[in-house]
Amino acid sequence: MYSIGETAKLVGLSTYTLRYYEKEKIITPLRNANGERTFDEQHIQWLRFVIRLKATQMPIAKIREYTELFLEGEHTTRQRLELLQNHQVLIQQQLERLTSVESELQYKIENYEKIIASTTK
């Protein structure tokens, strides 16, 4: 079992963020005899998944929705699948936009390098 501080360090989040995720019902820590939050390996794995979802710009509301569906049980598998598939489409759109911007940047960089090279001769 891990304390909130230990958990925060393990997953790279602040204790404030862990408390926020608890408030948003994204994670439900256990409580020890003193009422302090404790986290087990399943919590750690879940938080790592949540972190990956956040890294893909999934909104907290969608993460909460996914969490609620997960907690409801196996009968929500299709809904969870659809939620993740919809998010995957958004990620693919983000990648396309980023690829386009990266191409434009590369074009500009090459032009500036040519200008600099021609003026230093």
Side-chain angles (χ1 to χ4, degrees):
M1 296 302 256
Y2 304 99
S3 70
I4 191 168
E6 292 168 330
T7 301
K9 286 179 186 172
L10 274 172
V11 298
L13 296 173
S14 68
T15 57
Y16 171 83
T17 300
L18 292 177
R19 288 184 190 97
Y20 174 71
Y21 285 173
E22 179 182 8
K23 178 181 165 238
E24 291 296 318
K25 297 184 178 9
I26 291 170
I27 191 158
T28 305
L30 305 169
R31 299 284 178 158
N32 65 18
N34 297 328
E36 299 165 328
R37 293 168 183 87
T38 60
F39 300 83
D40 60 19
E41 284 300 322
Q42 285 183 314
H43 289 109
I44 302 300
Q45 293 306 314
W46 179 256
L47 285 166
R48 288 183 174 144
F49 180 64
V50 168
I51 290 166
R52 287 191 295 277
L53 293 177
K54 282 295 294 167
T56 65
Q57 308 301 310
M58 181 180 273
I60 288 293
K62 284 292 180 190
I63 295 172
R64 185 182 331 106
E65 181 182 347
Y66 181 87
T67 302
E68 290 168 356
L69 290 169
F70 178 80
L71 292 173
E72 282 184 42
E74 291 302 312
H75 70 279
T76 66
T77 301
R78 184 172 307 281
Q79 291 164 283
R80 286 183 275 155
L81 173 62
E82 288 173 10
L83 189 147
L84 292 177
Q85 286 173 327
N86 290 338
H87 186 64
Q88 185 178 38
V89 168
L90 295 174
I91 291 170
Q92 290 167 344
Q93 291 169 349
Q94 288 174 357
L95 287 170
E96 289 169 10
R97 284 190 300 273
L98 288 172
T99 299
S100 173
V101 169
E102 196 272 338
S103 294
E104 291 175 33
L105 286 174
Q106 185 60 38
Y107 174 78
K108 288 283 190 191
I109 289 167
E110 288 171 3
N111 281 334
Y112 286 130
E113 289 172 341
K114 287 176 189 174
I115 291 168
I116 291 168
S118 69
T119 60
T120 59
K121 289 183 180 178

